[in-house]
Amino acid sequence: MKKQSLAAAAAFALAASILAAGCGKKETASTETSAETSAVEESTEASTEETEESTQEETEESEAQEAAQYHMLQGTIVKMGAEGNVFTLQADDGNSYDIGLTDIRDVEVELAQDVHIAIAYIGEVLGGPEAAALEDVTLVVALPEQEEWTITTETGTTTANAMSTFSMKTEDGRELSFMKDNCPIEEGALAADSGDAVEVTYVASQGINFPIEIKAARAE
């Protein structure tokens, strides 16, 4: 009986040892799986954050590049052509420009010698050793000179659209009106009498808003 008891006890101890070893392996495997899952989740989160940051950076860069297209050329008319269709502008950037009336899409100021004017234009900045040439930019509107100029871009929906004027309601609920004589307009941007989603870049002169460019608003 004593031998049988000892054998039974040994067998029980062996079974318990095997069972404990098996449980330990399962727990280790479970821990390893959990760690792998956590690593995958962290990698996915990091990838998502990098993608969002990259998209935001690209959007900001695109907006900055677009804003860099719009400028004001300011100066004094030092010479008028004999027929009044060409003038020489001594610009504040130190350069002189011979400009024809047909080079400017809209003239909202009397052009005469010694008159100070500003011309809103689209393209690379003029002036400086590596600057764009006059023929490489779009001269949009000539305006009376004023102390400061702010170029603003607004997005909204048109509420009226006539031959040379239009109005829009901005995204924050403001009502704005514009002159649009011969300014660059993207195809489809002002297709209807109202209800068009537009993006307008403009300057204000003497209480009137003059668009530099009108585009169809892009869906985000």
Side-chain angles (χ1 to χ4, degrees):
M1 290 293 293
K2 188 174 181 181
K3 290 181 179 179
Q4 291 177 351
S5 297
L6 289 173
F12 178 78
L14 178 60
S17 175
I18 293 172
L19 180 60
C23 290
K25 289 180 180 178
K26 289 181 180 178
E27 183 177 351
T28 301
S30 176
T31 302
E32 291 175 352
T33 301
S34 177
E36 290 175 358
T37 302
S38 177
V40 171
E41 289 176 349
E42 290 178 357
S43 176
T44 301
E45 290 176 358
S47 177
T48 301
E49 289 177 358
E50 289 176 359
T51 300
E52 290 176 350
E53 290 177 359
S54 177
T55 301
Q56 183 177 356
E57 288 175 357
E58 289 175 358
T59 300
E60 291 175 352
E61 182 179 353
S62 176
E63 291 175 351
Q65 289 175 347
E66 183 172 322
Q69 296 182 83
Y70 305 106
H71 311 279
M72 300 298 294
L73 176 64
Q74 305 177 71
T76 303
I77 297 175
V78 294
K79 181 181 179 182
M80 291 294 301
E83 297 181 4
N85 57 356
V86 177
F87 63 92
T88 301
L89 182 73
Q90 182 63 51
D92 293 348
D93 63 19
N95 295 322
S96 293
Y97 301 93
D98 292 324
I99 303 173
L101 292 184
T102 57
D103 296 331
I104 310 173
R105 287 173 168 262
D106 182 26
V107 177
E108 298 288 340
V109 58
E110 181 181 355
L111 301 178
Q113 190 164 330
D114 298 328
V115 170
H116 301 277
I117 67 170
I119 304 173
Y121 68 95
I122 304 171
E124 297 296 325
V125 65
L126 296 167
E130 299 181 0
L134 191 64
E135 58 269 20
D136 295 329
V137 304
T138 301
L139 304 178
V140 180
V141 56
L143 301 165
E145 180 61 282
Q146 60 190 45
E147 186 173 346
E148 294 182 1
W149 293 97
T150 300
I151 296 174
T152 307
T153 298
E154 294 282 2
T155 302
T157 304
T158 59
T159 55
N161 180 24
M163 182 66 70
S164 60
T165 64
F166 73 99
S167 300
M168 67 179 284
K169 187 173 185 178
T170 65
E171 290 182 334
D172 58 5
R174 290 174 293 121
E175 291 280 351
L176 294 175
S177 297
F178 302 89
M179 294 286 292
K180 63 170 183 179
D181 287 346
N182 208 27
C183 72
I185 302 175
E186 185 178 67
E187 185 177 356
L190 290 177
D193 292 337
S194 63
D196 288 319
V198 295
E199 179 184 284
V200 184
T201 300
Y202 68 98
V203 293
S205 175
Q206 299 180 331
I208 301 174
N209 298 321
F210 294 93
I212 303 175
E213 189 169 28
I214 303 169
K215 297 180 179 180
R218 305 291 187 263
E220 296 184 359

